Amino acid sequence: MFGAFIISVLHEGLDGGVNYRSICAGCRNCPVETPRNAMRATLSRVTGLKYFGTATDNPELTDTAYVEILSNTTEFGQITPGNSQKWDATEPSNGTFTFTEGDVITSLAENNTQLLRCHNLVWYSQPPTWVSGGTWTNETLQAVMKTHITTEMTHYKGQCYAWDVVNEALNDSANFRTDVFYNAMGEDYIRIAFETAAAADPDVKLYYNDYNIEYSGAKATAALGIVTKLVNEGVKIDGVGMQGHYIVGSTPSQSDLITTMETYTALGLEVAYTELDIRMTLPGTDTLLAQQSTDYENVVSACLNVADCIGITVWDFDDKYSWIPDTFSGQGAACLFDEDLNRKPAYYGVVSALKSSNRTVSTLTSATLVSSTSVATSSAAGVPSILTTSSPSGMTTSYIALSTSSLNPAPISVSSSTVSSPFTAILTTSTSVSAPTASADSTDDGDDTCES
Ligand code: G3I
């Protein structure tokens, strides 16, 4: 697959606690990486993202080779259930809730110490037939919607980093979709949904999520209108999810992506790529795969260049389980791994973008240590410390302490109560993220997954 593919990319990892790094520069055959030594999640921390994650779905969890990669937090620090939290899956008939399928995925994420994005609460597509085919007034559908949101969010309370509260309210002409919710409640259903969500779980991030709003145009303008209205009305909304379903060779320019993201972040919101994939017309050629790598690198770099772009989720990571071929006839190969779970050039495009970022690694010269948790490793480089520091304003922030070498930031041990000597730090958590505890990183492979 990589025969004609030439890319300069840095592979980094901790294998068995031994810090190693190899450079694949201009090579024809990049070194074979195993899930164990590819440091995706760590790379996403180096770049300052809260996570780099993937969607998954229940049927593919019987594929053990797939699950092994999915569960490897050195690849993915976050999971989104692709279908099993949707309305049709969770409330198939009025007032009858079933979270069995969703719980399989949320438990998997919890066991893996992966962050969870929860998806979604109100969506025009695939509502259960009792909702889409029902006869509703504003009041009756409002009551049903509130019950659905409240019941599902209560069930998953404390497990989600974020919820996609309203999904794809806009059609491709940038008007409100005239779905069952809009027809009964008008555009006010969006405000009601967010207010209901905020009441159900005040601690989770609430997102508006849509596609083709990542670049300038009528749909981005309309999405900005939705979120601006909520902000101006004092309704709790924390983020805009930009799905990012693209076509190879047609991804928006990085500057357009950045400018558009900044229209949302200027409102005080965070943004994230929530469903990234980049499809092509099959069969995939070396040329298309190389272009796809460039396209992935471009989109990931755009996020890295916006301070409040906090994470990236791919809409499943391998071509075998991608939704694309079922929806777009003759198209596919949209993911980072191929159908046999081999990494594609696109994977290395992402790695290249993550490695190029410089927004993340900060040098602390002085910080008051609140706590320090050693992460056991047999690394010859020393025992990395997870530092929790506090600022005068009361913010607490956690870092992995590293040596000052930005090229090869080896973990170091810091044990004094006041950090006074300079060290490079990887931001791992801030007060806004509820992270699993350090002891949860039972794999003890040095990846410190608990801090993602
Ligand atoms: O559950 C039934 C199963 O009982 C039946 O045997 C099977 C036969 O085809 O269908 C199953 O339902 C499918 C469902 O996925 C679960 O696998 C639906 O047909 C299929 O249409 C559905 O597609 C999902 C789609 O959303 C619609 O819900 C895709 O997997 C999922 O990737 C896609 O994800 C959406 C995001 O939620 C929102 N943004 C766009 C994105 C892609 O469309």
Side-chain angles (χ1 to χ4, degrees):
M1 161 168 299
F2 297 112
F5 183 69
I6 297 175
I7 190 170
S8 175
V9 65
L10 197 57
H11 303 295
E12 176 183 48
L14 289 170
D15 193 4
V18 178
N19 204 0
Y20 78 90
R21 173 178 295 247
S22 63
I23 297 176
C24 173
C27 59
R28 289 195 153 267
N29 294 295
C30 291
V32 174
E33 289 189 316
T34 67
R36 179 151 174 77
N37 66 24
M39 292 293 286
R40 174 62 57 73
T42 294
L43 287 174
S44 69
R45 288 188 307 218
V46 169
T47 57
L49 295 174
K50 281 189 169 66
Y51 58 81
F52 190 100
T54 181
T56 190
D57 202 1
N58 297 69
E60 57 234 45
L61 298 182
T62 54
D63 181 337
T64 50
Y66 167 90
V67 172
E68 188 180 344
I69 299 175
L70 171 72
S71 300
N72 187 333
T73 50
T74 63
E75 293 284 13
F76 301 110
Q78 176 270 328
I79 283 181
T80 304
N83 280 306
S84 51
Q85 290 183 323
K86 291 172 179 172
W87 198 324
D88 61 338
T90 55
E91 193 185 2
S93 60
N94 193 348
T96 303
F97 288 86
T98 168
F99 297 111
T100 313
E101 293 287 281
D103 288 354
V104 169
I105 294 178
T106 59
S107 297
L108 182 76
E110 187 180 357
N111 291 337
N112 294 339
T113 67
Q114 289 162 312
L115 229 55
L116 187 71
R117 287 197 87 262
C118 291
H119 174 84
N120 57 53
L121 293 165
V122 182
W123 187 29
Y124 83 94
S125 179
Q126 273 202 307
T129 49
W130 68 268
V131 172
S132 55
T135 304
W136 305 103
T137 64
N138 185 330
E139 290 70 28
T140 56
L141 189 54
Q142 200 178 126
V144 156
M145 184 179 78
K146 285 178 173 174
T147 299
H148 179 75
I149 292 171
T150 304
T151 307
E152 177 152 15
M153 287 187 72
T154 301
H155 179 82
Y156 288 114
K157 200 167 186 171
Q159 297 182 57
C160 311
Y161 166 72
W163 262 109
D164 291 327
V165 178
V166 174
N167 200 47
E168 301 170 11
L170 298 165
N171 64 24
D172 292 346
S173 305
N175 298 312
F176 285 106
R177 290 181 190 277
T178 50
D179 58 20
V180 64
F181 305 106
Y182 182 88
N183 289 340
M185 294 176 266
E187 65 179 274
D188 209 28
Y189 85 87
I190 298 174
R191 175 189 63 79
I192 298 164
F194 274 87
E195 286 181 344
T196 307
D201 185 352
D203 297 323
V204 72
K205 303 274 187 193
L206 306 181
Y207 270 62
Y208 175 73
N209 192 49
D210 211 331
Y211 63 86
N212 290 354
I213 63 165
E214 310 89 354
Y215 52 92
S216 59
K219 201 163 175 185
T221 303
L224 184 64
I226 288 174
V227 298
T228 301
K229 191 162 185 281
L230 293 172
V231 168
N232 288 345
E233 291 173 348
V235 178
K236 177 173 157 46
I237 175 171
D238 302 290
V240 176
M242 306 169 301
Q243 294 184 6
H245 296 295
Y246 297 124
I247 298 169
V248 165
S250 302
T251 50
S253 71
Q254 199 180 136
S255 62
D256 195 359
L257 292 170
I258 290 171
T259 304
T260 306
M261 269 185 266
E262 288 176 343
T263 63
Y264 306 125
T265 61
L267 295 170
L269 305 175
E270 61 184 41
V271 292
Y273 285 98
T274 52
E275 304 183 14
L276 180 60
D277 54 22
I278 308 180
R279 63 186 182 267
M280 64 182 69
T281 299
L282 298 173
T285 61
D286 282 353
T287 303
L288 283 169
L289 291 170
Q291 180 63 48
Q292 184 183 48
S293 179
T294 302
D295 293 341
Y296 265 102
E297 184 171 357
N298 178 49
V299 177
V300 172
S301 296
C303 177
L304 293 166
N305 282 314
V306 175
D308 292 318
C309 185
I310 56 96
I312 298 169
T313 307
V314 290
W315 205 242
D316 228 319
F317 64 87
D318 80 318
D319 293 335
K320 189 172 179 182
Y321 299 117
S322 170
W323 67 290
I324 297 290
D326 285 344
T327 305
F328 299 99
S329 179
Q331 296 184 52
C335 301
L336 301 180
F337 291 64
D338 68 17
E339 298 206 355
D340 298 318
L341 295 173
N342 298 308
R343 293 177 179 79
K344 295 162 59 181
Y347 174 95
Y348 296 104
V350 171
V351 172
S352 180
L354 294 171
K355 288 303 302 176
S356 300
S357 168
N358 57 8
R359 84 175 188 181
T360 63
V361 179
S362 57
T363 299
L364 297 190
T365 51
S366 178
T368 302
L369 212 55
V370 174
S371 63
S372 166
T373 306
S374 292
V375 176
T377 169
S378 59
S379 169
V383 179
S385 293
I386 308 306
L387 308 178
T388 302
T389 62
S390 70
S391 72
S393 65
M395 279 285 292
T396 60
T397 308
S398 295
Y399 301 91
I400 296 178
L402 302 170
S403 65
T404 46
S405 165
S406 60
L407 254 188
N408 188 11
I412 59 170
S413 175
V414 179
S415 56
S416 61
S417 62
T418 299
V419 179
S420 53
S421 56
F423 64 88
T424 303
I426 297 178
L427 179 64
T428 59
T429 63
S430 70
T431 44
S432 59
V433 182
S434 61
T437 58
S439 60
D441 186 9
S442 57
T443 54
D444 190 21
D445 56 3
D447 65 81
D448 312 327
T449 53
C450 48
E451 294 79 38
S452 55

